[in-house]
């Protein structure tokens, strides 16, 4: 049998050779098939770690390729003014980076309300390069209304939009099944669309859509500048000014790519919420607050040397809370960040942090002066990274909540589990069932007992106390000597929430000792 050292050497060699996932899977199967022994467990773990390293290397390589394409497109934008060749390069890069069967770019004919294909790569049917579609049909209608990327694994059978018979026929001729599209936006106008398609069912990742959106931004810049250069082709001075603006924009694109890489790298290293918040603030030159769903501050950061006081003066239920709530509602409707208010020479811009089907909280940026469009995009994309961290924290809290709720239900149930097992489970939470315990029930209005339980569990003063939401009630259990302290902490928190517009009602107070079996 191979030794751990031999196995490690072979795994390192496979990593160095860039071996495929299948080769590592074979090594794992071989290790799993060995007779049971302490050495087997070590070998299996080594193979699993090597597979994880290989997957991380592959992901980093994909991200590096995407960033390289962004940089190359930015360089093209700053050095080439020939529109057709530039658009064809963008379409080719989109198809190559996403591994798609075909890709195309359409431009809006505003007078007729039609989108016409101007560049296509990978098509087989002649009708594909001549596609024309109304702005209220197909995926075009979804992208035009949301101004967000859209992807479908089965276009012809997707019922979320009105189909165009002619376009569907072209897709059947081409064999297209899956489709992803992003808008080319300039000054809040959709001026074109960039698509990639495959001849098999496929759902694109957020990373793929981010790359496609960045290339679409480059396409929008190319289209806009081509129109400008056409109008002022006889004026060399204006052309030089436009070129200088384009070079400045290319530098902004590079800065945005650097910001994306920095955030991705921090996330990959498992950086804390505070570290990510500080990185966003430093990159945008202002102060940043991460708020939870009840507008409470979860984390904050400020750029070095930034003197604004808006973030420090923020209060969850202060005089600006109504303006902030309205701005968040509008931002969630349009899918973009919006300014909430201006005060003391600072502007507060907000962006919802979305996770799954709900809002996890919000990101608030306090800054002086005017943000560039790419700086706004950087701020908006950072909310996705913050959302990943908050989702991760929410999963950990949910696991803890399930264990706490299960123990509380077992303790309070008329038919309790075996006393010794209950005692062992309670001991893991710092409770001794051999000593008197006290129970408190609290009924809360908004933001509700589930939110209260999450916040209270984070308080050091309630360490070794069980706090959970059960059937809409806040349930707290602790050793009787600590009952009064627990009551004061919970009551103080409820009063603070009530002072901000939330009413806490102590409907069934119980702070007397309760008897438990065993």
């Amino acid at each position: 049998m191979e030794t751990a050292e031999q196995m490690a050497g072979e795994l390192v060699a496979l990593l160095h050779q860039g071996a495929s996932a299948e080769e590592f899977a074979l090594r794992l199967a071989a290790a799993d098939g060995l007779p049971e022994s302490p050495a087997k467990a070590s070998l299996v773990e080594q193979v699993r770690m090597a597979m994880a390293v290989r997957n991380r290397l592959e992901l980093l390589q994909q991200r590096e390729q995407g960033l390289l394409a962004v940089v190359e497109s930015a360089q093209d934008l700053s050095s080439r003014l020939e529109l057709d060749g530039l658009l064809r390069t963008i379409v080719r890069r989109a198809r190559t980076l996403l591994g798609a069967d075909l890709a195309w770019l359409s431009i809006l004919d505003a007078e007729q309300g039609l989108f016409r294909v101007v560049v296509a790569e990978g098509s087989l049917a002649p009708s594909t390069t001549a596609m024309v579609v109304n702005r209220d049909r197909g995926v075009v209608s979804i992208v035009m209304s949301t101004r967000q990327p859209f992807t479908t694994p089965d276009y012809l059978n997707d019922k979320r939009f009105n189909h165009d018979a002619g376009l569907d026929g072209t897709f059947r001729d081409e064999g297209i099944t899956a489709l992803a599209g992003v808008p080319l936006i300039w000054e809040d106008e959709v001026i074109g669309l960039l698509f990639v398609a495959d001849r098999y069912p496929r759902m694109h990742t957020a990373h793929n859509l981010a790359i496609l959106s960045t290339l679409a931004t480059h396409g929008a810049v190319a289209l806009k500048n081509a129109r400008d250069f056409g109008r002022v082709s006889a004026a060399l001075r204006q052309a030089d000014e436009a070129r200088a603006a384009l070079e400045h924009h290319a530098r902004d694109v590079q800065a945005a790519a650097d910001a994306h890489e920095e955030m991705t790298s921090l996330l990959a290293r498992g950086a804390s919420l505070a570290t990510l918040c500080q990185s966003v603030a430093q990159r945008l030159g202002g102060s940043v607050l991460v708020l939870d769903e009840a507008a409470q501050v979860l984390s904050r950061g400020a750029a070095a040397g930034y003197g604004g006081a808006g973030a420090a003066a923020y209060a969850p239920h202060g005089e600006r809370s109504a303006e902030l709530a309205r701005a968040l509602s509008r931002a969630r409707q349009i899918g973009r960040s919006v300014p909430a208010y201006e005060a003391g020479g600072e502007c507060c811009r907000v962006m919802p942090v979305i996770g799954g089907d709900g809002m996890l909280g919000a990101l608030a940026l306090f800054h002086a002066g005017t943000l560039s469009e790419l700086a706004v995009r950087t701020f908006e994309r950072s909310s996705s990274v913050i959302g990943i961290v908050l989702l991760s924290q929410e999963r950990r809290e949910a696991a803890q909540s399930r264990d706490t709720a299960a123990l509380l239900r077992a303790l309070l149930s008329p038919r309790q589990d075996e006393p010794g097992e209950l005692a062992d489970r309670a001991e893991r939470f710092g409770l001794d069932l051999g000593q008197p315990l006290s129970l408190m029930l609290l009924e809360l209005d908004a933001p509700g007992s589930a939110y209260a339980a999450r916040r209270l569990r984070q308080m050091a003063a309630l360490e070794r106390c069980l706090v959970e939401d059960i059937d809409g009630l806040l349930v707290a259990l602790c050793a009787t000597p600590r009952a009064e302290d627990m009551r004061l902490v919970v009551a103080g928190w409820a009063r603070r929430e009530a002072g901000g517009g939330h009413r806490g009602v102590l409907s069934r107070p119980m702070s007397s000792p309760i008897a438990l079996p065993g």
Side-chain angles (χ1 to χ4, degrees):
M1 185 173 64
E2 291 181 292
T3 65
E5 290 78 10
Q6 291 173 327
M7 175 68 78
E10 292 180 3
L11 293 174
V12 170
L14 288 174
L15 289 172
H16 179 70
Q17 296 163 8
S20 66
E22 289 75 13
E23 294 183 71
F24 283 91
L26 291 174
R27 299 298 300 173
L28 181 59
D32 277 332
L34 295 174
E36 293 296 330
S37 68
K40 175 186 174 180
S42 175
L43 291 175
V44 170
E45 183 61 21
Q46 287 188 19
V47 177
R48 292 186 186 278
M49 288 191 295
M51 293 175 74
V53 171
R54 183 242 170 227
N55 291 337
R56 284 197 294 270
L57 289 174
E58 186 179 56
L59 179 60
L60 289 172
Q61 185 178 23
Q62 292 173 352
R63 289 173 175 166
E64 182 181 0
Q65 290 173 348
L67 290 172
L68 181 60
V70 169
V71 173
E72 290 175 348
S73 292
Q75 292 171 343
D76 285 341
L77 283 172
S78 64
S79 60
R80 296 172 57 183
L81 301 179
E82 191 271 309
L83 181 61
D84 290 342
L86 187 54
L87 294 181
R88 188 168 298 280
T89 298
I90 290 173
V91 170
R92 185 179 299 117
R93 285 196 177 116
R95 180 191 176 201
T96 301
L97 284 173
L98 274 63
D101 291 330
L102 63 158
W104 66 89
L105 190 147
S106 301
I107 294 179
L108 174 64
D109 184 338
E111 294 182 359
Q112 299 186 27
L114 300 173
F115 280 89
R116 303 179 186 276
V117 174
V118 293
V119 178
E121 287 282 338
S123 59
L124 300 177
S127 56
T128 302
T129 57
M131 285 188 294
V132 177
V133 61
N134 287 319
R135 59 193 301 166
D136 61 348
R137 296 289 175 178
V139 170
V140 172
S141 63
I142 301 293
V143 177
M144 285 292 291
S145 62
T146 65
R147 300 190 179 191
Q148 295 292 315
F150 182 85
T151 180
T152 173
D154 188 359
Y155 178 91
L156 293 175
N157 295 312
D158 200 320
K159 306 301 183 185
R160 290 176 289 176
F161 47 81
N162 295 323
H163 284 259
D164 180 277
L167 186 63
D168 286 1
T170 298
F171 277 25
R172 289 190 186 95
D173 294 341
E174 191 66 62
I176 292 174
T177 300
L179 182 72
V182 297
L184 277 66
I185 299 176
W186 186 268
E187 295 180 350
D188 290 331
E189 289 184 38
V190 178
I191 60 176
L193 299 166
L194 178 61
F195 290 99
V196 291
D198 295 275
R199 300 183 177 93
Y200 62 93
R202 177 184 182 184
M203 282 297 292
H204 286 279
T205 65
H207 180 67
N208 285 353
L209 293 178
I211 292 176
L212 198 61
S213 296
T214 302
L215 293 175
T217 300
H218 294 173
V221 175
L223 286 172
K224 177 63 176 178
N225 286 330
R227 293 171 183 177
D228 290 344
F229 289 138
R231 296 189 189 102
V232 297
S233 58
L236 180 60
R237 180 184 59 82
Q238 293 182 5
D240 289 340
E241 291 174 354
R243 188 180 300 109
L246 185 59
E247 291 173 352
H248 176 72
H249 185 80
R251 288 193 294 271
D252 282 348
V253 171
Q254 180 63 57
D258 292 343
H260 183 270
E261 172 64 16
E262 179 182 354
M263 294 293 289
T264 303
S265 177
L266 287 172
L267 185 62
R269 295 201 302 266
S272 66
L273 187 60
T275 301
L276 290 169
C277 191
Q278 181 62 35
S279 175
V280 175
Q282 191 65 43
R283 177 68 62 174
L284 298 176
S287 295
V288 171
L289 297 179
V290 179
L291 310 177
D292 66 12
E293 65 268 38
Q296 299 287 338
V297 177
L298 294 177
S299 185
R300 62 178 70 232
Y306 182 70
Y314 169 81
H317 308 292
E319 60 178 347
R320 298 288 187 175
S321 58
E323 295 171 272
L324 189 140
R326 285 194 296 269
L328 279 175
S329 176
R330 180 167 175 264
R332 190 171 183 186
Q333 289 175 356
I334 66 176
R336 295 288 308 274
S337 66
V338 298
Y341 58 85
E342 289 189 32
E346 281 184 295
C347 176
C348 174
R349 175 176 284 271
V350 293
M351 179 68 186
V353 177
I354 305 298
D357 296 327
M359 194 168 83
L360 300 175
L363 207 57
L365 170 65
F366 295 84
H367 66 92
T370 303
L371 290 178
S372 68
E373 177 65 18
L374 284 173
V376 172
R377 292 283 188 180
T378 298
F379 173 62
E380 293 168 350
R381 288 169 182 163
S382 66
S383 71
S384 300
V385 178
I386 297 295
I388 293 173
V389 176
L390 293 182
L391 275 177
S392 177
Q393 292 178 351
E394 189 176 82
R395 284 196 294 269
R396 290 196 298 269
E397 291 172 358
Q400 179 184 356
S401 175
R402 286 193 298 269
D403 294 342
T404 305
L407 177 57
L408 281 172
R409 290 182 185 275
L411 290 172
L412 302 177
S413 173
R415 299 181 61 184
Q416 294 181 333
D417 296 340
E418 194 276 324
E421 180 184 346
L422 275 178
D424 289 341
R425 290 168 62 186
E427 186 177 353
R428 291 198 293 270
F429 289 91
L431 292 179
D432 182 0
L433 298 190
Q435 300 298 320
L437 301 176
S438 290
L439 175 73
M440 183 171 66
L441 304 179
L442 190 68
E443 187 176 63
L444 295 171
D445 288 348
S449 55
Y451 173 79
R454 290 202 308 272
R455 298 291 293 183
L456 290 169
R457 278 197 299 266
Q458 299 170 4
M459 294 186 176
L462 294 183
E463 185 181 4
R464 303 175 75 84
C465 296
L466 294 184
V467 182
E468 190 49 68
D469 161 46
I470 297 182
D471 298 333
L473 291 176
L474 181 68
V475 180
L477 182 69
C478 71
T480 295
R482 300 188 59 197
E484 181 61 18
D485 291 340
M486 179 178 71
R487 187 189 69 81
L488 291 174
V489 171
V490 175
W493 182 89
R495 279 195 300 272
R496 289 193 299 274
E497 289 296 308
H502 303 291
R503 296 185 296 107
V505 181
L506 189 62
S507 62
R508 290 186 286 169
M510 295 179 60
S511 56
S512 57
I514 61 174
L516 298 170

